[in-house]
């Protein structure tokens, strides 16, 4: 393990550590009409989390995962993230998380509170959390992070839009929850150096992508998509294979 080094962007310290496993979820509900395969049923989520718990693994928020790993602890922890801020997170996902003693990070779109997933042209239309819903999730101990303001591909955004989506969303969420979000999630999982720099410069401690390649690091952490077709056994195999495929990255402390 590499020695800790100073992190110039956060004023904290980082260290290299074992590969992080971060599960990427979206909507929790009826998966039958889902052309993008981003919905898991509450029953499937229950099976997935239960399987990992029986293997001695517990899902937690990104903040808790990174804090534990920076202390050299938390080898039995993995990250649980939910993108887009669907309203069904509170009604369907939270009860399952409580049942298994899991935490999570919810990445929301403060520019679309109370709206719907208009960025998905094929539908179906799903309601997003209102401001009160976001506050309810935060009150339940869920870490609230930013997914940008309106779900824009940051690699295609001009400078004004990029700043608004990254910095503006952090400002709105700080006013909404009383705490500036530590984490940012790149819409569509797409990243480039310019987007990563914008997230770092805006004051976020970490950023979540999907497969950032050579950009991988504290502000472009890889995640694994989890869907309805991931049986509990298949999910555990994804966990094992991810640890073999990914190289360690520095983690915020």
């Amino acid at each position: 393990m590499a020695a800790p080094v100073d992190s110039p962007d956060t004023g904290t310290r980082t260290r290299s550590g074992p590969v992080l496993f971060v599960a990427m979820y979206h909507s929790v509900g009826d998966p039958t009409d889902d052309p993008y395969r981003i919905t898991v049923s509450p029953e499937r989520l229950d099976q997935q989390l239960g399987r990992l718990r029986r293997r001695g693994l517990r899902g937690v928020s990104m903040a808790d995962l990174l804090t534990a790993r920076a202390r050299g602890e938390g080898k039995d922890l993995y990250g649980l993230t939910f993108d887009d801020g669907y309203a069904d997170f509170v009604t369907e996902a939270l009860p399952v998380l409580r049942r298994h003693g899991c935490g999570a990070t919810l990445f929301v779109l403060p520019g679309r509170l109370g709206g719907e997933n208009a960025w998905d042209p094929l539908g179906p239309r799903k309601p997003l959390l209102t401001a009160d819903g976001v506050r309810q999730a935060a009150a339940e101990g869920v870490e609230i992070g930013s997914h940008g303001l309106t779900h824009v591909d940051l690699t295609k955004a001009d400078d004004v839009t990029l700043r608004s989506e990254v910095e503006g969303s952090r400002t709105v969420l700080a006013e909404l929850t009383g705490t500036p979000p530590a984490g940012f999630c790149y819409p569509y999982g797409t990243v480039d150096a310019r987007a990563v720099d914008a997230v770092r410069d805006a004051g976020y401690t970490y950023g979540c992508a999907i497969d950032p390649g050579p950009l991988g690091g504290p502000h472009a952490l890889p995640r694994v998509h989890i869907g309805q077709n991931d049986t509990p056994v298949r999910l555990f195999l994804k966990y094992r294979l991810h640890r073999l495929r990914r190289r360690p990255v520095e983690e915020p402390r």
Side-chain angles (χ1 to χ4, degrees):
M1 179 180 293
V5 296
D6 290 331
S7 172
D9 55 347
T10 64
T12 58
R13 291 167 68 82
T14 64
R15 67 170 66 182
S16 296
V19 175
L20 298 174
F21 180 79
V22 182
M24 178 181 65
Y25 287 91
H26 290 78
S27 175
V28 180
D30 182 357
T32 54
D33 182 13
D34 182 20
Y36 297 101
R37 299 182 181 179
I38 61 169
T39 307
V40 299
S41 68
E43 294 77 17
R44 178 64 86 195
L45 178 63
D46 183 68
Q47 294 167 358
Q48 291 168 341
L49 300 187
R51 171 79 179 195
L52 294 182
R53 283 293 268 167
R54 289 190 293 275
R55 290 281 185 167
L57 301 169
R58 182 169 66 91
V60 297
S61 70
M62 289 302 300
D64 286 348
L65 176 64
L66 294 170
T67 297
R69 287 298 184 85
R71 294 196 301 257
E73 303 170 356
K75 303 303 187 291
D76 59 339
L77 303 179
Y78 65 95
L80 266 179
T81 63
F82 292 79
D83 291 9
D84 301 335
Y86 290 103
D88 56 36
F89 177 83
V90 169
T91 59
E92 304 296 340
L94 260 181
V96 180
L97 295 174
R98 291 194 205 101
R99 186 153 55 245
H100 292 285
C102 291
T105 297
L106 176 65
F107 292 112
V108 303
L109 298 155
R112 292 189 183 271
L113 296 175
E116 58 184 20
N117 57 327
W119 61 88
D120 287 334
L122 300 180
R125 291 290 159 254
K126 294 190 174 190
L128 304 178
L129 287 169
T130 63
D132 285 343
V134 173
R135 293 190 192 98
Q136 180 182 347
E140 294 276 356
V142 174
E143 180 191 12
I144 304 299
S146 172
H147 201 27
L149 272 177
T150 59
H151 208 284
V152 170
D153 183 343
L154 299 184
T155 65
K156 300 176 181 178
D158 59 38
D159 290 344
V160 173
T161 301
L162 178 63
R163 182 171 181 176
S164 174
E165 291 287 326
V166 175
E167 296 183 15
S169 63
R170 192 166 195 256
T171 298
V172 175
L173 285 177
E175 294 172 352
L176 179 64
T177 66
T179 304
F184 186 91
C185 174
Y186 299 91
Y188 305 104
T190 56
V191 295
D192 58 14
R194 178 168 158 266
V196 172
D197 288 344
V199 168
R200 181 188 300 110
D201 293 345
Y204 293 95
T205 304
Y206 70 88
C208 284
I210 297 178
D211 190 1
L215 292 173
H219 290 88
L221 297 168
R223 295 182 297 164
V224 177
H225 168 73
I226 308 299
Q228 180 69 12
N229 292 334
D230 288 311
T231 64
V233 172
R234 181 172 168 175
L235 173 58
F236 184 67
L237 288 175
K238 279 189 173 184
Y239 170 81
R240 295 296 297 270
L241 290 174
H242 179 79
R243 293 172 63 85
L244 294 175
R245 289 177 59 236
R246 301 288 188 183
R247 58 190 175 88
V249 299
E250 289 187 342
E251 302 158 16
R253 177 189 250 181

